[in-house]
Amino acid sequence: MSVIHRTTLEPTKLELLAGWLPTRPWYHGGARPRLGKAGGFRLDDPKGEVGIEFMVVRDDSGDGPVCYLVPLTYRAAPLDGADAALVGTAEHGVLGRRWVYDACHDPVAVAELAALVEGRAQPQAQSVSDTPDHEVSRALAGEGPVPAEFPAVEDAEEHTELTAPDGTVLRVLRTLHPAPDGAPQAEPGAAGHVAGAWDAPDGARAHGLMVLLLTPPPAP
């Protein structure tokens, strides 16, 4: 289970993201983001080496507030071949230097996200140790299995697509939208999904889709 340390991080996560978000094609705010923490959850690395956080941040720099899903990983050493996915480095008050990555490019995080969709991984509370997050839900049509590796990563204007060798796609929804009735439902054609909760700009608790699983059509 993940252990949450009550300590400092310099620079903070929001400070790192303020410099990184404007470089992303799915970010539609101003040149200088005004960020606040809005929620999220964690996943456990089975080996206990990589911190995995699905962070929701609210940005108030554009025409209106927008909530973004920003999956991050925290490592004790650089991830080979992932220089382009580095968000930045920070000094953790307990663990020392951390290399912070866009988790969509981190194979440990992607494997655990696939396990979450399949029901083999349990989401954890973002800020409390050893505590499941019961606001996160998942669904999968059929028995699976879901591929564990999604090596092809492509950013779009509203999402990031992770593609497995067999054509299966994990679509990470970067711009979050509350479900109209508070009960998220997968889009037509999706084989599975992950939904979660965050603080809406008006102070209400919002619930909506975060990740979709899309499977290729059967061969003729």
Side-chain angles (χ1 to χ4, degrees):
M1 293 290 185
S2 55
V3 176
I4 307 302
H5 297 280
R6 303 297 179 183
T7 187
T8 59
L9 189 70
E10 297 290 341
T12 68
K13 298 173 189 178
L14 293 181
E15 287 170 342
L16 286 174
L17 291 176
W20 181 76
L21 281 174
T23 69
R24 303 299 94 190
W26 41 264
Y27 176 73
H28 306 297
R32 295 183 178 180
R34 298 199 303 272
L35 303 179
K37 180 181 174 182
F41 63 94
R42 288 179 175 265
L43 293 174
D44 284 332
D45 171 14
K47 295 183 178 180
E49 297 175 353
V50 180
I52 306 170
E53 180 179 15
F54 282 70
M55 189 175 184
V56 180
V57 295
R58 185 187 68 253
D59 177 48
D60 296 317
S61 66
D63 295 335
V66 179
C67 288
Y68 294 98
L69 177 61
V70 187
L72 300 170
T73 56
Y74 309 93
R75 287 176 166 266
L79 175 60
D80 289 344
D83 290 353
L86 182 67
V87 176
T89 60
E91 293 296 327
H92 190 279
V94 174
L95 301 175
R97 176 158 294 187
R98 299 285 98 180
W99 278 258
V100 184
Y101 289 95
D102 176 358
C104 291
H105 295 263
D106 192 315
V108 172
V110 173
E112 289 310 301
L113 176 58
L116 173 61
V117 174
E118 197 172 322
R120 295 184 291 105
Q122 186 176 52
Q124 299 292 311
Q126 187 178 28
S127 303
V128 184
S129 299
D130 299 344
T131 303
D133 189 333
H134 297 295
E135 288 189 301
V136 178
S137 61
R138 43 73 55 187
L140 177 65
E143 299 295 328
V146 178
E149 297 182 1
F150 290 79
V153 182
E154 183 175 0
D155 285 321
E157 289 190 359
E158 297 292 334
H159 58 259
T160 299
E161 289 202 344
L162 320 179
T163 305
D166 70 353
T168 301
V169 171
L170 280 172
R171 178 177 291 171
V172 178
L173 306 179
R174 295 296 196 162
T175 303
L176 297 180
H177 300 283
D181 57 358
Q185 300 291 327
E187 296 180 2
H193 70 267
V194 174
W198 63 92
D199 294 330
D202 63 1
R205 195 67 172 160
H207 295 77
L209 293 171
M210 292 183 167
V211 179
L212 297 175
L213 177 71
L214 308 173
T215 53

